[in-house]
Amino acid sequence: MKRFQLIVLLGSICLSLAALAGQAQEKREYVIVVHGGAGAMSGLEQNAELSAHYYAALDSALDAGAAVLDRGGKGEEAVLAVLRYFESNPLFNAGIGATCTAAGTFELDASIMRGQDLSAGAVAGLKHVKHPIEAAYRVMTQSEHVMMAGEGAEQFAREHGLDMVDDNLYFATPKTLKWVEQLKRESKKNGTVGCVVLDKAGNLTAGTSTGGMFKKKWGRIGDSPVIGAGTYADNASCAVSCTGHGEYFIRHAVAYNLCARYKYLNEPVEQAADYIIHQELNAEAGNGGLIAVDKEGHIAMPFNSGGMFRGYLYKEASTGAVHRQVGIGKNMRP
Ligand code: ASP
């Protein structure tokens, strides 16, 4: 080998090693990523008081998930704990605080998926189930079905002993009630919630819960309860939860699309997520974002909207050090 060729060869080996070192990531004992919806969020970060409420809520959601994983719980239990928390917090468009339909009612959708065996559960159009994510979980674990809607889904939830509410207005807040009164005035509420987890056993889980889109009509159902669109998890690739204009997320099968790019094109999770959110979708045709974690604990949280409530928490396997961050706009919390 000539001297010149040897230098080139050594140079490229050094470059590859440097690239590998750049990609290398310490092993993570577990990872939790949450979102609380995407949207315009204009001026929210500048409103210190209101943004502090959102930051605190995102922190509490991460804490709820970490508490489960720290005591050795499974990823699916952590996802349930996080989404139950969000469904109880009126700041978000899920459970209490859900946005209203054109008829002034509240119709809730949710789904959960387990990456270990691809089992999944989804519910749509619920009006009286306190925690839709619990109903989705029961569909996954206690029925032979994947998706149930409307009255049948409510009957299933009742028969499985879930907490029910007599009055659909249970899900209303002073703010959403105002929208019901003034339905003709355009108004939106961002705040679909989602959670993806890589647990200590290496299992991936994804879950999503929402009130859907403001003024939705005729039993409209968005992407959130559609497995492969708003939610997907597969231990061979990633766990994904989406938020945004659901019709586009269904057409582009966003959650599965990401897993497929990761699995078949060998794209890193961030690259696959960015491609879908910024190239296949965009702020006009598919406004929104997603959260994802891959089987090695790499995280992606892209959005093409003004902002997305989001956060992550992970624990390093070797040191036990915990890293966490939450954000609303382009930057994470300062
Ligand atoms: N994706 C939800 C839906 O279309 C709404 C949202 O995430 O804001 O129902």
Side-chain angles (χ1 to χ4, degrees):
M1 191 182 286
K2 291 209 177 89
R3 203 160 147 207
F4 172 72
Q5 283 174 314
L6 188 66
I7 291 171
V8 171
L9 181 68
L10 285 175
S12 58
I13 290 174
C14 286
L15 279 177
S16 320
L17 285 176
L20 271 178
Q23 276 172 20
Q25 170 186 284
E26 80 289 352
K27 203 168 165 359
R28 295 175 178 179
E29 187 177 322
Y30 64 69
V31 181
I32 307 168
V33 194
V34 300
H35 74 73
M41 320 257 167
S42 30
L44 186 56
E45 274 173 308
Q46 281 66 56
N47 181 337
E49 204 178 316
L50 188 54
S51 55
H53 281 114
Y54 280 100
Y55 289 138
L58 291 164
D59 274 329
S60 299
L62 290 170
D63 289 339
V68 172
L69 298 177
D70 278 332
R71 63 162 167 74
K74 292 181 184 172
E76 60 203 66
E77 294 169 59
V79 167
L80 279 181
V82 168
L83 295 186
R84 277 181 66 101
Y85 167 77
F86 275 135
E87 287 176 346
S88 307
N89 187 326
L91 283 176
F92 300 95
N93 174 16
I96 298 178
T99 195
C100 60
T101 67
T105 56
F106 302 93
E107 295 185 6
L108 313 174
D109 307 330
S111 65
I112 186 163
M113 181 161 186
R114 192 151 66 183
Q116 191 179 9
D117 56 4
L118 303 187
S119 58
V123 288
L126 299 185
K127 291 184 181 162
H128 301 96
V129 179
K130 202 167 185 179
H131 286 292
I133 193 65
E134 290 280 357
Y137 184 71
R138 297 300 163 103
V139 172
M140 175 170 83
T141 53
Q142 292 175 30
S143 86
E144 66 270 34
H145 305 302
V146 167
M147 191 171 198
M148 293 188 197
E151 278 174 27
E154 298 216 329
Q155 192 178 327
F156 172 82
R158 209 171 281 117
E159 284 176 15
H160 282 79
L162 293 193
D163 284 344
M164 306 294 288
V165 298
D166 292 335
D167 190 345
N168 186 235
L169 286 177
Y170 168 84
F171 298 107
T173 63
K175 189 170 170 182
T176 56
L177 269 183
K178 239 187 235 159
W179 300 348
V180 173
E181 282 160 22
Q182 311 166 7
L183 261 176
K184 291 202 178 76
R185 201 193 67 186
E186 277 305 320
S187 178
K188 280 187 182 167
K189 177 164 183 177
N190 313 122
T192 289
V193 298
C195 178
V196 295
V197 167
L198 172 69
D199 68 14
K200 290 185 191 178
N203 289 315
L204 290 168
T205 311
T208 312
S209 182
T210 188
M213 286 180 76
F214 177 64
K215 273 172 91 170
K216 61 184 183 182
K217 294 193 265 186
W218 308 298
R220 177 266 186 193
I221 290 166
D223 60 312
S224 307
V226 177
I227 298 300
T231 303
Y232 200 77
D234 175 3
N235 274 9
S237 54
C238 308
V240 189
S241 170
C242 302
T243 174
H245 195 152
E247 280 67 11
Y248 291 93
F249 282 72
I250 293 175
R251 290 175 190 146
H252 289 264
V254 169
Y256 180 74
N257 194 342
L258 190 160
C259 293
R261 294 190 77 89
Y262 180 96
K263 198 164 155 182
Y264 302 122
L265 299 179
N266 293 314
E267 285 184 358
V269 62
E270 272 199 284
Q271 188 183 330
D274 277 347
Y275 179 82
I276 296 167
I277 293 299
H278 298 294
Q279 306 294 319
E280 284 197 18
L281 306 180
N282 56 61
E284 284 77 46
N287 189 274
L290 63 80
I291 53 169
V293 58
D294 74 10
K295 59 184 180 172
E296 271 141 24
H298 300 96
I299 293 166
M301 305 186 295
F303 53 94
N304 58 37
S305 44
M308 180 167 82
F309 301 117
R310 64 203 184 286
Y312 66 80
L313 183 157
Y314 65 86
K315 199 172 193 177
E316 279 180 28
S318 55
T319 63
V322 171
H323 301 263
R324 60 189 300 161
Q325 193 50 277
V326 297
I328 298 174
K330 286 219 162 45
N331 304 315
M332 299 305 269
R333 174 174 48 188

CSV table of all heavy atoms in Angstrom, one decimal, residues 41-71:
chain,number,residue,atom,x,y,z
A,41,MET,N,-49.4,28.1,20.5
A,41,MET,CA,-48.7,28.5,21.8
A,41,MET,C,-48.2,29.9,21.8
A,41,MET,O,-47.1,30.2,22.4
A,41,MET,CB,-47.5,27.6,22.1
A,41,MET,CG,-47.8,26.2,21.8
A,41,MET,SD,-48.1,25.2,23.3
A,41,MET,CE,-48.8,23.7,22.6
A,42,SER,N,-48.8,30.8,21.0
A,42,SER,CA,-48.3,32.2,20.9
A,42,SER,C,-48.1,32.9,22.2
A,42,SER,O,-49.1,33.0,23.0
A,42,SER,CB,-49.1,33.0,19.9
A,42,SER,OG,-50.4,32.6,19.9
A,43,GLY,N,-46.9,33.3,22.4
A,43,GLY,CA,-46.6,34.2,23.6
A,43,GLY,C,-46.7,33.4,24.9
A,43,GLY,O,-46.4,34.0,26.0
A,44,LEU,N,-46.9,32.1,24.9
A,44,LEU,CA,-47.1,31.4,26.2
A,44,LEU,C,-45.8,31.4,27.0
A,44,LEU,O,-45.8,31.6,28.2
A,44,LEU,CB,-47.5,29.9,25.9
A,44,LEU,CG,-47.9,29.1,27.1
A,44,LEU,CD1,-48.9,29.8,28.0
A,44,LEU,CD2,-48.3,27.7,26.7
A,45,GLU,N,-44.6,31.2,26.3
A,45,GLU,CA,-43.4,31.1,27.1
A,45,GLU,C,-43.1,32.5,27.7
A,45,GLU,O,-42.4,32.5,28.8
A,45,GLU,CB,-42.2,30.8,26.1
A,45,GLU,CG,-42.1,29.3,26.0
A,45,GLU,CD,-41.0,29.0,24.9
A,45,GLU,OE1,-41.1,29.6,23.8
A,45,GLU,OE2,-40.1,28.3,25.2
A,46,GLN,N,-43.6,33.6,27.1
A,46,GLN,CA,-43.4,34.9,27.7
A,46,GLN,C,-44.3,35.2,28.9
A,46,GLN,O,-44.0,36.1,29.7
A,46,GLN,CB,-43.6,36.0,26.6
A,46,GLN,CG,-42.4,36.2,25.7
A,46,GLN,CD,-42.2,35.0,24.8
A,46,GLN,OE1,-43.2,34.6,24.1
A,46,GLN,NE2,-41.0,34.4,24.8
A,47,ASN,N,-45.4,34.4,29.0
A,47,ASN,CA,-46.3,34.5,30.1
A,47,ASN,C,-45.7,33.6,31.3
A,47,ASN,O,-46.1,32.5,31.4
A,47,ASN,CB,-47.7,34.1,29.7
A,47,ASN,CG,-48.7,34.2,30.8
A,47,ASN,OD1,-48.3,34.2,32.0
A,47,ASN,ND2,-49.9,34.4,30.4
A,48,ALA,N,-44.9,34.3,32.1
A,48,ALA,CA,-44.2,33.5,33.1
A,48,ALA,C,-45.1,32.7,34.0
A,48,ALA,O,-44.9,31.5,34.4
A,48,ALA,CB,-43.3,34.4,34.0
A,49,GLU,N,-46.2,33.3,34.4
A,49,GLU,CA,-47.1,32.6,35.4
A,49,GLU,C,-47.8,31.4,34.7
A,49,GLU,O,-47.8,30.3,35.3
A,49,GLU,CB,-48.2,33.6,35.8
A,49,GLU,CG,-48.8,33.3,37.1
A,49,GLU,CD,-49.8,34.3,37.6
A,49,GLU,OE1,-49.6,35.5,37.4
A,49,GLU,OE2,-50.9,33.9,38.0
A,50,LEU,N,-48.3,31.6,33.5
A,50,LEU,CA,-49.0,30.5,32.9
A,50,LEU,C,-48.0,29.4,32.5
A,50,LEU,O,-48.3,28.2,32.7
A,50,LEU,CB,-49.8,31.0,31.7
A,50,LEU,CG,-50.7,30.0,31.0
A,50,LEU,CD1,-51.7,29.3,32.0
A,50,LEU,CD2,-51.5,30.6,29.9
A,51,SER,N,-46.9,29.8,31.9
A,51,SER,CA,-46.0,28.7,31.5
A,51,SER,C,-45.4,27.9,32.7
A,51,SER,O,-45.2,26.7,32.6
A,51,SER,CB,-44.8,29.3,30.6
A,51,SER,OG,-44.2,30.3,31.3
A,52,ALA,N,-45.3,28.6,33.8
A,52,ALA,CA,-44.9,27.9,35.1
A,52,ALA,C,-45.8,26.8,35.4
A,52,ALA,O,-45.4,25.7,35.9
A,52,ALA,CB,-44.7,28.9,36.2
A,53,HIS,N,-47.2,27.0,35.2
A,53,HIS,CA,-48.1,26.0,35.5
A,53,HIS,C,-47.9,24.8,34.6
A,53,HIS,O,-48.0,23.6,35.0
A,53,HIS,CB,-49.6,26.5,35.2
A,53,HIS,CG,-50.1,27.3,36.4
A,53,HIS,ND1,-50.3,28.7,36.3
A,53,HIS,CD2,-50.3,27.0,37.6
A,53,HIS,CE1,-50.7,29.1,37.4
A,53,HIS,NE2,-50.8,28.1,38.3
A,54,TYR,N,-47.6,25.0,33.3
A,54,TYR,CA,-47.4,23.9,32.3
A,54,TYR,C,-46.1,23.2,32.7
A,54,TYR,O,-46.1,22.0,32.6
A,54,TYR,CB,-47.4,24.5,30.9
A,54,TYR,CG,-48.8,24.7,30.3
A,54,TYR,CD1,-49.3,25.9,30.3
A,54,TYR,CD2,-49.6,23.6,29.9
A,54,TYR,CE1,-50.6,26.1,29.8
A,54,TYR,CE2,-50.8,23.8,29.4
A,54,TYR,CZ,-51.4,25.1,29.4
A,54,TYR,OH,-52.6,25.3,28.9
A,55,TYR,N,-45.1,23.9,33.0
A,55,TYR,CA,-43.8,23.3,33.3
A,55,TYR,C,-44.0,22.4,34.5
A,55,TYR,O,-43.5,21.2,34.6
A,55,TYR,CB,-42.7,24.3,33.6
A,55,TYR,CG,-42.2,25.1,32.5
A,55,TYR,CD1,-41.9,26.5,32.6
A,55,TYR,CD2,-41.9,24.5,31.3
A,55,TYR,CE1,-41.4,27.2,31.5
A,55,TYR,CE2,-41.4,25.2,30.2
A,55,TYR,CZ,-41.2,26.5,30.3
A,55,TYR,OH,-40.7,27.2,29.2
A,56,ALA,N,-44.7,22.9,35.5
A,56,ALA,CA,-44.9,22.1,36.7
A,56,ALA,C,-45.8,20.9,36.4
A,56,ALA,O,-45.5,19.8,37.0
A,56,ALA,CB,-45.7,23.0,37.8
A,57,ALA,N,-46.8,21.0,35.6
A,57,ALA,CA,-47.6,19.8,35.2
A,57,ALA,C,-46.8,18.8,34.5
A,57,ALA,O,-46.9,17.6,34.7
A,57,ALA,CB,-48.8,20.3,34.4
A,58,LEU,N,-45.9,19.2,33.6
A,58,LEU,CA,-45.1,18.3,32.8
A,58,LEU,C,-44.1,17.6,33.8
A,58,LEU,O,-43.9,16.4,33.7
A,58,LEU,CB,-44.3,19.0,31.7
A,58,LEU,CG,-45.2,19.5,30.6
A,58,LEU,CD1,-44.4,20.6,29.7
A,58,LEU,CD2,-45.6,18.4,29.7
A,59,ASP,N,-43.6,18.3,34.7
A,59,ASP,CA,-42.7,17.7,35.7
A,59,ASP,C,-43.4,16.7,36.6
A,59,ASP,O,-42.9,15.6,36.8
A,59,ASP,CB,-42.1,18.8,36.7
A,59,ASP,CG,-40.9,19.5,36.1
A,59,ASP,OD1,-40.1,18.8,35.4
A,59,ASP,OD2,-40.6,20.7,36.4
A,60,SER,N,-44.7,17.0,36.9
A,60,SER,CA,-45.5,16.1,37.8
A,60,SER,C,-45.8,14.8,37.0
A,60,SER,O,-45.8,13.7,37.5
A,60,SER,CB,-46.8,16.7,38.2
A,60,SER,OG,-46.6,17.8,39.0
A,61,ALA,N,-46.0,15.0,35.7
A,61,ALA,CA,-46.3,13.8,34.8
A,61,ALA,C,-45.1,12.9,34.8
A,61,ALA,O,-45.2,11.7,34.9
A,61,ALA,CB,-46.7,14.3,33.4
A,62,LEU,N,-43.9,13.5,34.6
A,62,LEU,CA,-42.6,12.7,34.6
A,62,LEU,C,-42.4,12.0,35.9
A,62,LEU,O,-42.0,10.9,36.0
A,62,LEU,CB,-41.5,13.6,34.2
A,62,LEU,CG,-41.4,14.2,32.8
A,62,LEU,CD1,-40.3,15.3,32.6
A,62,LEU,CD2,-41.2,13.0,31.8
A,63,ASP,N,-42.7,12.8,37.0
A,63,ASP,CA,-42.5,12.2,38.3
A,63,ASP,C,-43.5,11.0,38.5
A,63,ASP,O,-43.1,10.0,39.1
A,63,ASP,CB,-42.8,13.2,39.4
A,63,ASP,CG,-41.8,14.3,39.5
A,63,ASP,OD1,-40.6,14.0,39.0
A,63,ASP,OD2,-42.1,15.4,40.0
A,64,ALA,N,-44.7,11.1,38.0
A,64,ALA,CA,-45.6,10.0,38.2
A,64,ALA,C,-45.1,8.7,37.5
A,64,ALA,O,-45.2,7.6,38.0
A,64,ALA,CB,-47.0,10.4,37.6
A,65,GLY,N,-44.5,8.9,36.3
A,65,GLY,CA,-44.0,7.8,35.6
A,65,GLY,C,-42.7,7.2,36.2
A,65,GLY,O,-42.6,6.0,36.4
A,66,ALA,N,-41.8,8.1,36.7
A,66,ALA,CA,-40.6,7.7,37.3
A,66,ALA,C,-40.8,6.9,38.6
A,66,ALA,O,-40.1,6.0,38.9
A,66,ALA,CB,-39.7,8.9,37.6
A,67,ALA,N,-41.9,7.4,39.4
A,67,ALA,CA,-42.2,6.7,40.6
A,67,ALA,C,-42.5,5.2,40.4
A,67,ALA,O,-42.1,4.3,41.1
A,67,ALA,CB,-43.3,7.4,41.3
A,68,VAL,N,-43.2,5.0,39.3
A,68,VAL,CA,-43.6,3.6,38.9
A,68,VAL,C,-42.3,2.8,38.5
A,68,VAL,O,-42.1,1.7,39.0
A,68,VAL,CB,-44.6,3.6,37.8
A,68,VAL,CG1,-44.8,2.2,37.3
A,68,VAL,CG2,-45.9,4.2,38.2
A,69,LEU,N,-41.5,3.4,37.7
A,69,LEU,CA,-40.4,2.6,37.2
A,69,LEU,C,-39.3,2.4,38.3
A,69,LEU,O,-38.6,1.4,38.4
A,69,LEU,CB,-39.7,3.4,36.0
A,69,LEU,CG,-40.7,3.5,34.8
A,69,LEU,CD1,-40.0,4.3,33.7
A,69,LEU,CD2,-41.1,2.1,34.3
A,70,ASP,N,-39.2,3.4,39.2
A,70,ASP,CA,-38.2,3.3,40.3
A,70,ASP,C,-38.6,2.2,41.3
A,70,ASP,O,-37.7,1.6,41.9
A,70,ASP,CB,-38.1,4.6,41.1
A,70,ASP,CG,-37.2,5.6,40.4
A,70,ASP,OD1,-36.3,5.2,39.7
A,70,ASP,OD2,-37.4,6.8,40.5
A,71,ARG,N,-39.9,1.9,41.4
A,71,ARG,CA,-40.2,0.8,42.3
A,71,ARG,C,-40.3,-0.5,41.5
A,71,ARG,O,-40.8,-1.5,42.0
A,71,ARG,CB,-41.5,1.1,43.1
A,71,ARG,CG,-42.7,1.2,42.2
A,71,ARG,CD,-44.0,1.1,43.0
A,71,ARG,NE,-45.2,1.5,42.3
A,71,ARG,CZ,-45.8,0.8,41.3
A,71,ARG,NH1,-45.3,-0.3,40.9
A,71,ARG,NH2,-46.8,1.3,40.7
